Short mmCIF file of all heavy atoms in Angstrom, two decimals:
data_model
loop_
_atom_site.label_atom_id
_atom_site.label_comp_id
_atom_site.label_asym_id
_atom_site.label_seq_id
_atom_site.Cartn_x
_atom_site.Cartn_y
_atom_site.Cartn_z
N LYS A 1 70.67 -72.22 -200.86
CA LYS A 1 70.64 -71.55 -202.15
C LYS A 1 69.74 -70.32 -202.01
O LYS A 1 68.81 -70.30 -201.20
CB LYS A 1 70.11 -72.47 -203.25
CG LYS A 1 71.10 -73.55 -203.67
CD LYS A 1 70.56 -74.37 -204.82
CE LYS A 1 71.63 -75.26 -205.45
NZ LYS A 1 72.13 -76.27 -204.52
N GLN A 2 70.03 -69.30 -202.81
CA GLN A 2 69.29 -68.05 -202.73
C GLN A 2 68.39 -67.88 -203.95
O GLN A 2 68.87 -67.91 -205.09
CB GLN A 2 70.26 -66.87 -202.67
CG GLN A 2 71.21 -66.90 -201.49
CD GLN A 2 70.47 -66.66 -200.19
OE1 GLN A 2 69.88 -65.61 -199.98
NE2 GLN A 2 70.50 -67.64 -199.31
N PRO A 3 67.08 -67.69 -203.76
CA PRO A 3 66.19 -67.50 -204.92
C PRO A 3 66.47 -66.19 -205.63
O PRO A 3 66.95 -65.23 -205.04
CB PRO A 3 64.80 -67.51 -204.28
CG PRO A 3 65.01 -67.08 -202.88
CD PRO A 3 66.36 -67.61 -202.49
N LYS A 4 66.14 -66.18 -206.92
CA LYS A 4 66.26 -64.95 -207.71
C LYS A 4 65.19 -63.95 -207.27
O LYS A 4 65.43 -62.74 -207.25
CB LYS A 4 66.14 -65.27 -209.20
CG LYS A 4 66.37 -64.08 -210.10
CD LYS A 4 66.74 -64.51 -211.52
CE LYS A 4 65.58 -65.22 -212.21
NZ LYS A 4 65.89 -65.51 -213.64
N SER A 5 64.02 -64.47 -206.93
CA SER A 5 62.94 -63.62 -206.43
C SER A 5 61.96 -64.49 -205.66
O SER A 5 62.01 -65.71 -205.69
CB SER A 5 62.23 -62.89 -207.58
OG SER A 5 61.66 -63.83 -208.47
N GLY A 6 61.04 -63.84 -204.95
CA GLY A 6 60.05 -64.55 -204.16
C GLY A 6 60.38 -64.52 -202.68
O GLY A 6 61.43 -63.99 -202.27
N LYS A 7 59.47 -65.07 -201.89
CA LYS A 7 59.62 -65.05 -200.44
C LYS A 7 59.47 -66.45 -199.86
O LYS A 7 58.66 -67.25 -200.32
CB LYS A 7 58.57 -64.14 -199.79
CG LYS A 7 58.72 -62.66 -200.07
CD LYS A 7 57.83 -61.83 -199.15
CE LYS A 7 56.37 -62.21 -199.26
NZ LYS A 7 55.50 -61.35 -198.40
N ILE A 8 60.24 -66.71 -198.81
CA ILE A 8 60.12 -67.95 -198.03
C ILE A 8 60.04 -67.54 -196.57
O ILE A 8 60.88 -66.76 -196.08
CB ILE A 8 61.32 -68.88 -198.24
CG1 ILE A 8 61.53 -69.19 -199.72
CG2 ILE A 8 61.14 -70.17 -197.44
CD1 ILE A 8 62.86 -69.86 -200.01
N LEU A 9 59.05 -68.06 -195.86
CA LEU A 9 58.92 -67.78 -194.44
C LEU A 9 58.83 -69.09 -193.66
O LEU A 9 58.07 -69.99 -194.03
CB LEU A 9 57.68 -66.94 -194.14
CG LEU A 9 57.68 -65.51 -194.70
CD1 LEU A 9 56.91 -65.48 -196.03
CD2 LEU A 9 57.03 -64.55 -193.70
N ILE A 10 59.61 -69.19 -192.60
CA ILE A 10 59.56 -70.32 -191.68
C ILE A 10 59.07 -69.80 -190.35
O ILE A 10 59.73 -68.96 -189.72
CB ILE A 10 60.96 -70.96 -191.51
CG1 ILE A 10 61.54 -71.40 -192.86
CG2 ILE A 10 60.90 -72.11 -190.52
CD1 ILE A 10 60.81 -72.53 -193.53
N ASN A 11 57.90 -70.25 -189.92
CA ASN A 11 57.29 -69.72 -188.69
C ASN A 11 57.29 -68.19 -188.69
O ASN A 11 57.64 -67.54 -187.70
CB ASN A 11 58.01 -70.26 -187.44
CG ASN A 11 57.67 -71.71 -187.17
OD1 ASN A 11 56.58 -72.18 -187.49
ND2 ASN A 11 58.60 -72.44 -186.58
N ASN A 12 56.91 -67.63 -189.85
CA ASN A 12 56.80 -66.18 -190.06
C ASN A 12 58.14 -65.44 -190.04
O ASN A 12 58.17 -64.21 -189.98
CB ASN A 12 55.85 -65.54 -189.03
CG ASN A 12 54.41 -65.95 -189.27
OD1 ASN A 12 53.94 -65.98 -190.41
ND2 ASN A 12 53.70 -66.27 -188.19
N ILE A 13 59.24 -66.19 -190.12
CA ILE A 13 60.57 -65.57 -190.21
C ILE A 13 61.03 -65.64 -191.66
O ILE A 13 61.03 -66.72 -192.26
CB ILE A 13 61.59 -66.31 -189.32
CG1 ILE A 13 61.10 -66.37 -187.87
CG2 ILE A 13 62.96 -65.63 -189.40
CD1 ILE A 13 61.87 -67.36 -187.02
N HIS A 14 61.41 -64.52 -192.24
CA HIS A 14 61.89 -64.51 -193.62
C HIS A 14 63.21 -65.25 -193.71
O HIS A 14 64.12 -65.03 -192.90
CB HIS A 14 62.07 -63.06 -194.10
CG HIS A 14 60.78 -62.36 -194.43
ND1 HIS A 14 60.22 -62.39 -195.69
CD2 HIS A 14 59.93 -61.65 -193.65
CE1 HIS A 14 59.08 -61.71 -195.67
NE2 HIS A 14 58.88 -61.25 -194.45
N VAL A 15 63.30 -66.14 -194.69
CA VAL A 15 64.56 -66.86 -194.93
C VAL A 15 65.47 -65.94 -195.73
O VAL A 15 65.44 -65.88 -196.96
CB VAL A 15 64.30 -68.19 -195.67
CG1 VAL A 15 65.62 -68.92 -195.91
CG2 VAL A 15 63.35 -69.07 -194.86
N GLU A 16 66.27 -65.19 -194.99
CA GLU A 16 67.22 -64.23 -195.55
C GLU A 16 68.51 -64.37 -194.77
O GLU A 16 68.50 -64.84 -193.62
CB GLU A 16 66.68 -62.81 -195.44
CG GLU A 16 65.39 -62.57 -196.21
CD GLU A 16 64.77 -61.21 -195.94
OE1 GLU A 16 65.03 -60.64 -194.86
OE2 GLU A 16 64.02 -60.74 -196.80
N PRO A 17 69.65 -64.00 -195.39
CA PRO A 17 70.94 -64.22 -194.73
C PRO A 17 71.00 -63.77 -193.27
O PRO A 17 71.56 -64.47 -192.42
CB PRO A 17 71.92 -63.44 -195.62
CG PRO A 17 71.30 -63.51 -196.97
CD PRO A 17 69.81 -63.44 -196.74
N GLU A 18 70.42 -62.62 -192.96
CA GLU A 18 70.50 -62.12 -191.59
C GLU A 18 69.69 -62.96 -190.60
O GLU A 18 69.88 -62.86 -189.38
CB GLU A 18 70.06 -60.65 -191.50
CG GLU A 18 68.63 -60.39 -191.95
CD GLU A 18 68.54 -60.02 -193.42
OE1 GLU A 18 69.39 -60.46 -194.21
OE2 GLU A 18 67.58 -59.29 -193.77
N ASN A 19 68.79 -63.82 -191.13
CA ASN A 19 67.95 -64.63 -190.27
C ASN A 19 68.30 -66.13 -190.30
O ASN A 19 67.62 -66.93 -189.67
CB ASN A 19 66.47 -64.48 -190.67
CG ASN A 19 65.96 -63.08 -190.50
OD1 ASN A 19 66.41 -62.34 -189.64
ND2 ASN A 19 65.01 -62.69 -191.34
N PHE A 20 69.35 -66.51 -191.06
CA PHE A 20 69.62 -67.92 -191.25
C PHE A 20 69.80 -68.68 -189.94
O PHE A 20 69.29 -69.78 -189.77
CB PHE A 20 70.87 -68.12 -192.12
CG PHE A 20 70.64 -67.88 -193.58
CD1 PHE A 20 71.72 -67.80 -194.46
CD2 PHE A 20 69.36 -67.75 -194.10
CE1 PHE A 20 71.52 -67.57 -195.81
CE2 PHE A 20 69.14 -67.52 -195.46
CZ PHE A 20 70.24 -67.44 -196.30
N ALA A 21 70.53 -68.11 -189.00
CA ALA A 21 70.78 -68.81 -187.74
C ALA A 21 69.47 -69.09 -187.00
O ALA A 21 69.26 -70.19 -186.48
CB ALA A 21 71.72 -67.99 -186.86
N GLU A 22 68.58 -68.10 -186.99
CA GLU A 22 67.29 -68.27 -186.30
C GLU A 22 66.41 -69.28 -187.04
O GLU A 22 65.79 -70.16 -186.42
CB GLU A 22 66.58 -66.93 -186.19
CG GLU A 22 65.28 -66.99 -185.39
CD GLU A 22 64.59 -65.65 -185.29
OE1 GLU A 22 65.06 -64.67 -185.90
OE2 GLU A 22 63.55 -65.58 -184.60
N VAL A 23 66.37 -69.17 -188.38
CA VAL A 23 65.57 -70.08 -189.18
C VAL A 23 65.99 -71.52 -188.96
O VAL A 23 65.15 -72.43 -188.81
CB VAL A 23 65.67 -69.71 -190.68
CG1 VAL A 23 65.17 -70.84 -191.56
CG2 VAL A 23 64.89 -68.43 -190.97
N ARG A 24 67.29 -71.75 -188.93
CA ARG A 24 67.78 -73.12 -188.83
C ARG A 24 67.59 -73.74 -187.46
O ARG A 24 67.74 -74.95 -187.29
CB ARG A 24 69.25 -73.15 -189.27
CG ARG A 24 69.38 -72.94 -190.78
CD ARG A 24 70.79 -72.70 -191.25
NE ARG A 24 70.81 -72.41 -192.69
CZ ARG A 24 71.85 -71.91 -193.33
NH1 ARG A 24 72.97 -71.63 -192.67
NH2 ARG A 24 71.78 -71.67 -194.63
N ARG A 25 67.21 -72.93 -186.48
CA ARG A 25 66.82 -73.49 -185.18
C ARG A 25 65.46 -74.16 -185.27
O ARG A 25 65.11 -75.00 -184.43
CB ARG A 25 66.78 -72.39 -184.10
CG ARG A 25 68.12 -71.82 -183.72
CD ARG A 25 69.05 -72.83 -183.08
NE ARG A 25 68.53 -73.38 -181.84
CZ ARG A 25 68.80 -72.89 -180.63
NH1 ARG A 25 69.60 -71.85 -180.51
NH2 ARG A 25 68.31 -73.45 -179.56
N HIS A 26 64.66 -73.78 -186.26
CA HIS A 26 63.30 -74.31 -186.41
C HIS A 26 63.25 -75.53 -187.33
O HIS A 26 62.25 -76.26 -187.32
CB HIS A 26 62.38 -73.24 -186.97
CG HIS A 26 62.15 -72.08 -186.05
ND1 HIS A 26 61.11 -72.04 -185.13
CD2 HIS A 26 62.83 -70.92 -185.89
CE1 HIS A 26 61.17 -70.91 -184.45
NE2 HIS A 26 62.21 -70.21 -184.89
N ILE A 27 64.29 -75.73 -188.15
CA ILE A 27 64.26 -76.75 -189.19
C ILE A 27 65.31 -77.82 -188.95
O ILE A 27 66.46 -77.52 -188.64
CB ILE A 27 64.50 -76.13 -190.58
CG1 ILE A 27 63.36 -75.20 -190.97
CG2 ILE A 27 64.63 -77.21 -191.65
CD1 ILE A 27 63.54 -74.53 -192.30
N GLY A 28 64.90 -79.08 -189.11
CA GLY A 28 65.85 -80.17 -189.18
C GLY A 28 65.93 -80.63 -190.63
O GLY A 28 64.90 -80.94 -191.24
N PHE A 29 67.14 -80.62 -191.19
CA PHE A 29 67.30 -80.94 -192.61
C PHE A 29 68.17 -82.17 -192.77
O PHE A 29 69.30 -82.22 -192.26
CB PHE A 29 67.93 -79.76 -193.35
CG PHE A 29 68.02 -79.95 -194.85
CD1 PHE A 29 66.92 -79.69 -195.65
CD2 PHE A 29 69.17 -80.42 -195.44
CE1 PHE A 29 66.98 -79.86 -197.02
CE2 PHE A 29 69.25 -80.60 -196.82
CZ PHE A 29 68.15 -80.32 -197.61
N GLY A 30 67.66 -83.17 -193.49
CA GLY A 30 68.41 -84.38 -193.76
C GLY A 30 68.86 -84.43 -195.20
O GLY A 30 68.03 -84.45 -196.12
N PHE A 31 70.17 -84.44 -195.41
CA PHE A 31 70.71 -84.50 -196.77
C PHE A 31 70.53 -85.90 -197.37
O PHE A 31 70.30 -86.88 -196.65
CB PHE A 31 72.21 -84.15 -196.74
CG PHE A 31 72.49 -82.71 -196.41
CD1 PHE A 31 72.69 -82.32 -195.09
CD2 PHE A 31 72.54 -81.74 -197.40
CE1 PHE A 31 72.95 -81.00 -194.77
CE2 PHE A 31 72.80 -80.42 -197.09
CZ PHE A 31 73.00 -80.05 -195.77
N GLN A 32 70.69 -85.98 -198.69
CA GLN A 32 70.57 -87.27 -199.38
C GLN A 32 71.57 -88.29 -198.84
O GLN A 32 71.25 -89.45 -198.66
CB GLN A 32 70.79 -87.11 -200.88
CG GLN A 32 69.64 -86.47 -201.61
CD GLN A 32 69.78 -86.57 -203.12
OE1 GLN A 32 70.31 -87.55 -203.63
NE2 GLN A 32 69.30 -85.57 -203.83
N ASP A 33 72.79 -87.85 -198.58
CA ASP A 33 73.85 -88.73 -198.10
C ASP A 33 74.01 -88.54 -196.59
O ASP A 33 74.44 -87.47 -196.14
CB ASP A 33 75.17 -88.42 -198.81
CG ASP A 33 76.27 -89.42 -198.49
OD1 ASP A 33 76.10 -90.22 -197.55
OD2 ASP A 33 77.29 -89.40 -199.19
N ALA A 34 73.67 -89.57 -195.83
CA ALA A 34 73.76 -89.47 -194.37
C ALA A 34 75.18 -89.17 -193.91
O ALA A 34 75.38 -88.56 -192.84
CB ALA A 34 73.27 -90.77 -193.73
N ASN A 35 76.17 -89.57 -194.70
CA ASN A 35 77.56 -89.33 -194.31
C ASN A 35 77.89 -87.84 -194.24
O ASN A 35 78.87 -87.45 -193.58
CB ASN A 35 78.51 -90.03 -195.29
CG ASN A 35 78.41 -91.54 -195.18
OD1 ASN A 35 78.33 -92.09 -194.09
ND2 ASN A 35 78.41 -92.23 -196.32
N ASP A 36 77.09 -87.01 -194.92
CA ASP A 36 77.32 -85.57 -194.84
C ASP A 36 77.04 -85.01 -193.45
O ASP A 36 77.44 -83.88 -193.14
CB ASP A 36 76.44 -84.83 -195.87
CG ASP A 36 76.87 -85.07 -197.30
OD1 ASP A 36 78.03 -85.49 -197.50
OD2 ASP A 36 76.05 -84.87 -198.21
N GLN A 37 76.32 -85.77 -192.62
CA GLN A 37 75.96 -85.31 -191.30
C GLN A 37 76.64 -86.07 -190.17
O GLN A 37 76.43 -85.75 -189.00
CB GLN A 37 74.43 -85.38 -191.14
CG GLN A 37 73.72 -84.39 -192.05
CD GLN A 37 72.22 -84.58 -192.06
OE1 GLN A 37 71.65 -85.21 -192.93
NE2 GLN A 37 71.57 -83.99 -191.09
N LEU A 38 77.45 -87.06 -190.52
CA LEU A 38 78.12 -87.88 -189.51
C LEU A 38 79.63 -87.73 -189.72
O LEU A 38 80.19 -88.27 -190.66
CB LEU A 38 77.69 -89.34 -189.65
CG LEU A 38 76.18 -89.61 -189.51
CD1 LEU A 38 75.86 -91.05 -189.85
CD2 LEU A 38 75.68 -89.25 -188.11
N PHE A 39 80.28 -87.01 -188.84
CA PHE A 39 81.70 -86.68 -189.04
C PHE A 39 82.54 -86.81 -187.78
O PHE A 39 83.75 -86.62 -187.81
CB PHE A 39 81.82 -85.26 -189.59
CG PHE A 39 81.07 -84.23 -188.78
CD1 PHE A 39 81.64 -83.64 -187.68
CD2 PHE A 39 79.77 -83.87 -189.14
CE1 PHE A 39 80.96 -82.71 -186.92
CE2 PHE A 39 79.07 -82.93 -188.39
CZ PHE A 39 79.67 -82.35 -187.28
N MET A 40 81.92 -87.12 -186.65
CA MET A 40 82.64 -87.24 -185.39
C MET A 40 83.18 -88.68 -185.23
O MET A 40 82.77 -89.59 -185.94
CB MET A 40 81.72 -86.87 -184.23
CG MET A 40 81.22 -85.44 -184.27
SD MET A 40 82.55 -84.22 -184.05
CE MET A 40 82.87 -84.39 -182.30
N PRO A 41 84.08 -88.89 -184.27
CA PRO A 41 84.66 -90.24 -184.10
C PRO A 41 83.65 -91.32 -183.75
O PRO A 41 83.83 -92.48 -184.13
CB PRO A 41 85.67 -90.04 -182.97
CG PRO A 41 86.04 -88.59 -183.03
CD PRO A 41 84.78 -87.88 -183.44
N THR A 42 82.58 -90.96 -183.02
CA THR A 42 81.56 -91.94 -182.66
C THR A 42 80.17 -91.39 -182.93
O THR A 42 79.98 -90.17 -183.02
CB THR A 42 81.63 -92.33 -181.17
OG1 THR A 42 81.23 -91.18 -180.37
CG2 THR A 42 83.04 -92.77 -180.77
#
């Protein structure tokens, strides 16, 4: 989600669309429903 205003930094990297790929290398995110992350045959 994108804030209306304000800043978010992960390891001094601004959380902005152009940096999403780099930011997500630093963060592990677990959703409420584990099934959202398990989709392969095994």
